């Protein structure tokens, strides 16, 4: 039975599509850029690549590329934009099964790319301790946030950057850092930087690294356990005690809550 609520393609629609000329409009390209964030040895890093081709040859940039609109010599068409984001990133670093990928924003300033009008859909990816990038035509490396102006005590864009990025990628990285910092306040996103089981101390170190400031251990521990659904006790202990040889810490896992009530605010002691 035909659902009368579903529009059907009539002859007029077919004629319109047959006569439609995409060349009648100014061309524009669509790319994806990925801000891959991880914490390595307690320090937040972002994955960058040094461009091996013009424009902006030799500049550091985010992993990215043009969306494949159709099958071609380089490979099949990207089914959707997240697929394109994972494709370009997987060429630079092995990706674990458990990752957090979300759309960050769309960037389309007319002068953001000197070649033509290029609209980029940026994604942010969070995962624990991602491995070293694969070597290839483009040099790739994990770069500390501090080298991009997002170091300790800098709560947003405007810090002094030691590395200048291609195109508008400095703005995209700044937006991604602020997205991560703000989401740690009101969501359980911090656990995306951790293995499936973790200690409260490890969770606190994530907050301290991303926010760029130290946190009081006892106060943090109390707030975490008082936040419904944030973490749950596994009933197990860590394999080793602390650096001073103390008691083994309890292990926790994500508790299933998506949002934190009450939130953990950056300005709170």
């Amino acid at each position: 039975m035909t659902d009368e609520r579903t529009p059907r393609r009539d002859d007029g629609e077919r004629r319109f599509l047959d006569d439609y000329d995409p060349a009648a409009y100014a061309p524009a390209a669509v790319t994806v850029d990925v801000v891959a964030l991880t914490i390595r040895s307690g320090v937040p890093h972002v994955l960058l690549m040094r461009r091996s081709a013009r424009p902006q040859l030799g500049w550091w940039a985010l992993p990215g590329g043009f969306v494949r609109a159709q099958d071609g010599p380089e490979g099949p068409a990207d089914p959707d934009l997240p697929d394109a984001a994972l494709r370009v990133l997987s060429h630079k670093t092995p990706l674990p099964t458990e990752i957090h990928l979300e759309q960050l924003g769309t960037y389309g300033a007319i002068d953001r790319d000197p070649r033509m009008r290029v609209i980029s859909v940026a994604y942010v990816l969070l995962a624990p301790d991602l491995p070293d990038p694969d070597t290839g035509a483009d040099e790739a490396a994990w770069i500390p946030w501090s080298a991009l102006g997002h170091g300790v005590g800098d709560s947003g864009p405007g810090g002094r950057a030691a590395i200048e990025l291609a195109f508008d990628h400095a703005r995209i990285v700044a937006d991604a850092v602020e997205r991560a910092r703000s989401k740690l306040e009101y969501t359980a996103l911090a656990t995306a930087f951790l293995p499936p089981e973790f200690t409260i101390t490890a969770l606190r170190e994530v907050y301290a690294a991303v926010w760029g400031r130290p946190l009081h251990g006892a106060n943090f521990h109390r707030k975490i356990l008082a936040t419904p659904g944030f973490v749950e006790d596994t009933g197990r202990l860590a394999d080793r005690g602390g650096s001073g040889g103390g008691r083994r810490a309890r292990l926790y896992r994500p508790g299933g809550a998506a949002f934190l009530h009450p939130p953990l605010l950056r300005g709170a002691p």
Side-chain angles (χ1 to χ4, degrees):
M1 179 180 296
T2 302
D3 188 346
E4 297 298 333
R5 296 171 297 178
T6 303
R8 289 178 293 180
R9 183 172 293 179
D10 55 21
D11 291 341
E13 183 83 359
R14 294 189 184 92
R15 287 194 298 271
F16 168 78
L17 293 175
D18 290 341
D19 296 337
Y20 183 77
D21 181 14
Y25 299 90
V30 178
T31 62
V32 289
D33 290 303
V34 185
V35 188
L37 304 178
T38 195
I39 296 178
R40 298 165 64 85
S41 301
V43 177
H45 285 69
V46 60
L47 183 64
L48 297 179
M49 48 171 277
R50 194 182 293 277
R51 290 182 55 79
S52 61
R54 297 188 186 279
Q56 301 184 348
L57 174 68
W59 288 46
W60 286 102
L62 293 167
F66 288 93
V67 176
R68 292 176 180 169
Q70 57 189 11
D71 297 345
E74 294 185 350
D78 295 310
D80 206 345
L81 295 177
D83 302 288
L86 291 175
R87 171 178 58 79
V88 299
L89 186 60
S90 64
H91 289 169
K92 298 303 173 187
T93 186
L95 295 178
T97 303
E98 296 296 326
I99 60 173
H100 175 89
L101 180 73
E102 66 177 69
Q103 190 175 129
L104 175 66
T106 304
Y107 300 82
I110 194 169
D111 59 349
R112 66 176 304 272
D113 191 304
R115 292 168 290 189
M116 61 182 298
R117 187 68 181 267
V118 177
I119 299 168
S120 178
V121 182
Y123 286 82
V124 59
L125 178 142
L126 307 177
D129 196 23
L130 287 169
D132 290 332
D134 292 334
T135 57
D138 298 320
E139 177 188 355
W142 288 105
I143 304 297
W145 291 5
S146 56
L148 304 175
H150 306 285
V152 175
D154 175 31
S155 60
R160 185 173 182 179
I163 295 177
E164 187 174 1
L165 300 183
F167 308 116
D168 56 354
H169 290 187
R171 175 191 171 192
I172 297 175
V173 170
D175 289 348
V177 169
E178 178 55 28
R179 170 75 65 87
R181 285 173 167 167
S182 63
K183 292 196 77 167
L184 259 60
E185 293 186 287
Y186 62 89
T187 76
L189 187 63
T191 59
F193 286 108
L194 293 167
E197 295 185 356
F198 49 85
T199 65
I200 297 296
T201 297
L203 183 61
R204 173 167 55 86
E205 290 171 348
V206 168
Y207 273 88
V210 174
W211 284 350
R213 67 179 187 86
L215 300 172
H216 188 277
N219 286 348
F220 182 84
H221 194 283
R222 174 179 51 81
K223 290 179 181 179
I224 294 301
L225 297 186
T227 303
F230 191 0
V231 299
E232 62 181 32
D233 196 333
T234 65
R236 291 186 290 276
L237 301 177
D239 292 335
R240 299 178 181 178
S243 57
R247 294 182 304 171
R248 292 187 295 162
R250 301 191 72 84
L251 290 173
Y252 294 83
R253 57 177 167 250
F259 297 94
L260 306 183
H261 301 285
L264 277 69
L265 302 179
R266 273 176 275 182

